[in-house]
Amino acid sequence: MKLISDFDEAVAQSFIKNGYDINDQNLTVGAAVSGGADSVSLLVSLVHIFGKSRVRAVNVNHRIRPRAESDGDTDFVRNLCLSFGVQCYFFECEEGFLQALSEERGLGIEEAARFKRYEFFGSFLRNTGTSLLCLAHNKNDQLETVLMRFLQGSDGEIKKMRGKFFRPLLDTDRAQIEEYLRSQGFSWRTDSTNQDNNYYRNRIRNELVPCLDRLFQGWRRGVLSFAEKNAVDAEFFEDFCSSFSWEERGADGKCVCMDSALFFSQKPAVRRRLVFRALSQIGSAPRVPYKMIRPVLFWKDDGSLHKVSGAGAEIFEWATDGVRKVFVAKTERGAFLDSGFYFLIRDERDLFDFCANFFAQKKSLKIDAPFPFVIRSFFSTDKIIFSNGRTKSVVAYFSEKKIPKSERGKIPFLQECGKKNLVKLLNLEADNFMENNQFSC
């Protein structure tokens, strides 16, 4: 049947255009099969193209839906693979694991499932020696992803190829996939959560996409064209930024740095991508918000030191061995989305670490404040609390004391947790603070 042969030819051409020789008998392909129409069509087509001996399947049971449904999907995949004579590898999460992971890492349940799924996929590739793993994302998924990221203030699209992960159906829409299966008498499973609009992607799919279809003819072509142009630009920047390298500091790989002069000489578009490359290198949170990165794009090489923190990472400038460098480090110290320095002091050890970082030497300080507290640079909206209980705007205090603007960002303040923008000045005796390190409130 022409419909079937055209579909299989399109999948085969997707491999060929991306440099794979489908006739190479050493090329083995994996298929991530959930039981849905997309992944079932992927498995069927791969068996048509490569034969059952060169195809392997992998299934992940996340256990975040009713047990009967999720186990039913796994049984469906097992029987499908048996009917083809394709070997299938099964992974499953313990019940409640993804919810705990979601809470521990501050991720949504979908993001936690994705994180664990790719961990299983990596294990599958390593243990089986499979050449690449095919994922069943299609054109509809691409449209939804571009819309989701646009509405979240970010860009990017699903990549057809990333490492050993390959998506041969990315140019095929869902209607074609379902027709391909029906024409051969194949059934598929439907995830009951697809209609749950508490999930962000489902709201895009079930509410926004139908609205756009009704009101804006041709919007799909426009969105995909937009994504393609962004991808072309991204490829240029990827190649350009690959000529820069972040130097690892420490044996754990959780901190990298780059010469400040080199970093500051780059345009904001390059700085942004360099920072995200560094975050990827240290294994930071999957999605660091742009509002955290934005200040870094406009830091000025004016001799002052800078810092932003949040989403499990810190980006800061520091002098080491007489050379200023920009550091990107993985951290558990909380969130802060402004320039300056910031230290969450949870205990004596954190206070010791603050001294080592702030003074570049080991010191022991006694501060009359209950743990936890924060030592940080000022915000323009801060008010100082004096010992007699009165308050004064920090900016007004600086002006009154004639403290130069170039020095203001270096002065530490103490903020007790729960008292936003109410701070205590840690160096009322500003002239002898650096010499005597006398903290007083």
Side-chain angles (χ1 to χ4, degrees), residues 276-296:
F276 277 108
R277 286 172 68 90
L279 290 168
S280 177
Q281 186 173 333
I282 64 173
S284 188
R287 291 192 176 91
V288 174
Y290 175 71
K291 65 181 179 180
M292 174 183 162
I293 303 298
R294 190 178 185 281
V296 181

Side-chain angles (χ1 to χ4, degrees), residues 32-230:
V33 186
S34 66
D38 304 337
S39 63
V40 172
S41 71
L42 174 65
L43 178 63
V44 172
S45 188
L46 292 180
V47 171
H48 289 173
I49 296 167
F50 293 96
K52 64 181 182 181
S53 64
R54 294 165 60 196
V55 177
R56 297 157 184 167
V58 57
N59 171 265
V60 177
N61 187 340
H62 297 98
R63 295 202 181 282
I64 55 179
R65 290 175 291 143
R67 191 179 187 97
E69 182 180 347
S70 60
D71 286 357
D73 290 348
T74 295
D75 290 340
F76 175 87
V77 172
R78 180 179 286 107
N79 291 331
L80 180 67
C81 290
L82 284 172
S83 70
F84 279 121
V86 169
Q87 188 171 5
C88 189
Y89 299 79
F90 297 91
F91 297 89
E92 65 178 37
C93 299
E94 294 181 8
E95 288 189 30
F97 172 82
L98 289 179
Q99 184 62 44
L101 180 66
S102 172
E103 295 171 358
E104 175 189 337
R105 293 178 174 252
L107 304 171
I109 192 71
E110 293 171 283
E111 190 64 36
R114 181 182 183 277
F115 173 84
K116 191 61 182 178
R117 183 164 63 250
Y118 276 85
E119 189 175 275
F120 285 142
F121 289 165
S123 177
F124 163 78
L125 287 167
R126 287 190 302 273
N127 294 334
T128 64
T130 304
S131 305
L132 71 158
L133 178 60
C134 297
L135 308 178
H137 298 94
N138 59 54
K139 187 184 288 187
N140 298 65
D141 296 319
Q142 182 73 287
L143 283 165
E144 293 161 8
T145 298
V146 174
L147 287 173
M148 287 171 62
R149 292 181 181 173
F150 173 77
L151 294 173
Q152 291 170 326
S154 60
D155 56 12
E157 68 293 313
I158 303 174
K159 303 289 187 185
K160 177 164 283 191
M161 185 174 176
R162 189 188 294 276
K164 286 192 171 185
F165 298 106
F166 183 56
R167 298 173 174 87
L169 300 182
L170 209 52
D171 298 320
T172 306
D173 64 44
R174 193 166 287 129
Q176 291 175 286
I177 286 170
E178 293 184 2
E179 184 59 28
Y180 174 76
L181 292 177
R182 289 192 191 98
S183 67
Q184 300 174 80
F186 286 105
S187 61
W188 60 86
R189 299 278 291 184
T190 300
D191 187 338
S192 63
T193 63
N194 287 346
Q195 301 306 314
D196 183 353
N197 287 340
N198 288 315
Y199 292 99
Y200 185 40
R201 180 178 287 275
N202 287 351
R203 293 201 300 276
I204 298 290
R205 176 182 299 164
N206 299 331
E207 297 185 3
L208 180 57
V209 167
C211 177
L212 292 173
D213 283 338
R214 187 173 69 255
L215 298 177
F216 300 98
Q217 185 178 6
W219 74 270
R220 293 173 181 249
R221 184 170 57 255
V223 168
L224 291 174
S225 177
F226 166 78
E228 183 177 328
K229 286 183 283 188
N230 275 353

Side-chain angles (χ1 to χ4, degrees), residues 373-421:
F373 55 84
V374 168
I375 299 176
R376 62 171 173 81
S377 52
F378 80 102
F379 296 163
S380 60
T381 52
D382 283 341
K383 290 185 177 181
I384 301 174
I385 307 175
F386 294 96
S387 57
N388 61 6
R390 72 183 179 90
T391 63
K392 180 189 287 284
S393 161
V394 169
V395 174
Y397 177 83
F398 285 155
S399 299
E400 179 185 298
K401 295 295 184 180
K402 296 183 170 58
I403 298 175
K405 289 185 178 181
S406 61
E407 298 298 315
R408 296 178 182 183
K410 303 175 185 177
I411 298 174
F413 291 83
L414 183 147
Q415 173 195 331
E416 293 185 35
C417 291
K419 296 184 178 180
K420 184 177 181 181
N421 296 123

